[in-house]
Amino acid sequence: QVYLVESGGGVVQPGRSLRLSCAATGFSFSNYGMHWVRQAPGKGLEWVAGISGEGRSQSYIGAVKGRFSISRDNINNALFLQMDSLRPEDSAVYFCAKEYGAFDACDIWGQGALVTVSS
Amino acid sequence: EVVLTQSPDFQSVTPKEKVTITCRASQSIGGKLHWYQQKPDQSPKLLIKYASQSFSGVPSRFRGSGSGTDFTLTINSLEAEDAATYFCHQTSSLPYTFGQGTKLEIK
């Protein structure tokens, strides 16, 4: 069975850091690009970052460039999002998602991890 | 950045009705446009990829079409379980972007 499970969400003060993890099961993890997509409460979906299967290529939206870092561990089938200098506007549910193929849709999504940035 | 604009934002429909949701891109994205369904407190589910390819296990009443800048998701003979928010998503150029969503309410 193919699934993704996020962890590491929580409440954090502005300016602090948080690291999200996503455990992958049931597929050849290193063969697929992976993404983080977030959704603020009551809002739409926003793509945040993506990483290639081998981990050599990463991309980010402008709003998080220089503050967030996406990485992966292909030995332990895990995806990460290191979030530094957090802002209240980063508060959202963060989903990890698997690419179906290169430049393709995301066919598998995790259940999401809630991040709340508040003093 | 490619901006995706969906219409309508909200639609109230009756079962068995045919529903059409459109997604317009601010520049040509070829066929790299995908559709997702999201129900409250759930993660998105892939319905259609590359504009018109139905994803495995998706009911045949969901159909996608279009290319370039104009795309359509059609739901034939709507069922009560189709109450959800629908998003389009482009993977033609970085940063990837989503439409704002279309919420379908079943009367």
Side-chain angles (χ1 to χ4, degrees):
Chain A
Q1 195 174 3
V2 179
Y3 58 90
L4 302 169
V5 178
E6 300 94 338
S7 60
V11 180
V12 62
Q13 292 180 327
R16 304 298 289 264
S17 298
L18 208 59
R19 189 190 197 211
L20 299 181
S21 300
C22 171
T25 303
F27 62 99
S28 296
F29 184 67
S30 62
N31 287 348
Y32 294 93
M34 296 291 295
H35 301 272
W36 288 99
V37 175
R38 67 185 179 185
Q39 187 169 38
K43 302 295 185 183
L45 300 169
E46 180 178 47
W47 178 85
V48 174
I51 187 168
S52 58
E54 73 280 3
R56 280 199 288 265
S57 175
Q58 303 92 32
S59 302
Y60 303 89
I61 55 167
V64 308
K65 243 177 226 179
R67 299 189 299 122
F68 289 13
S69 177
I70 187 172
S71 61
R72 63 191 298 159
D73 177 352
N74 285 347
I75 301 297
N76 294 300
N77 296 340
L79 176 73
F80 305 101
L81 185 67
Q82 177 66 41
M83 303 184 291
D84 298 326
S85 302
L86 281 161
R87 304 168 181 169
E89 56 264 35
D90 295 318
S91 296
V93 173
Y94 284 73
F95 297 101
C96 66
K98 166 192 167 290
E99 268 186 2
Y100 188 81
F103 303 104
D104 208 328
C106 291
D107 62 334
I108 304 295
W109 295 66
Q111 85 288 352
L114 178 61
V115 173
T116 303
V117 184
S118 173
S119 53
Chain B
E1 168 176 318
V2 176
V3 177
L4 297 178
T5 304
Q6 291 181 230
S7 63
D9 291 332
F10 174 87
Q11 191 167 3
S12 184
V13 292
T14 54
K16 298 189 179 177
E17 200 174 324
K18 178 180 174 179
V19 172
T20 300
I21 300 170
T22 65
C23 178
R24 175 161 288 176
S26 60
Q27 63 193 69
S28 179
I29 56 173
K32 292 191 173 77
L33 189 284
H34 321 291
W35 291 97
Y36 302 86
Q37 176 194 68
Q38 187 181 33
K39 296 182 179 180
D41 297 319
Q42 293 186 17
S43 53
K45 288 183 169 55
L46 178 61
L47 297 175
I48 304 288
K49 64 190 193 75
Y50 285 115
S52 60
Q53 297 176 16
S54 293
F55 188 60
S56 174
V58 173
S60 59
R61 62 182 180 276
F62 292 92
R63 295 295 176 111
S65 63
S67 66
T69 60
D70 293 301
F71 301 85
T72 300
L73 173 69
T74 300
I75 310 173
N76 291 299
S77 193
L78 195 81
E79 297 191 6
E81 66 183 29
D82 300 333
T85 301
Y86 294 82
F87 295 94
C88 57
H89 171 219
Q90 68 82 20
T91 57
S92 174
S93 64
L94 290 165
Y96 293 166
T97 49
F98 289 86
Q100 81 277 16
T102 295
K103 185 174 182 178
L104 286 188
E105 173 192 87
I106 311 298
K107 290 178 186 171

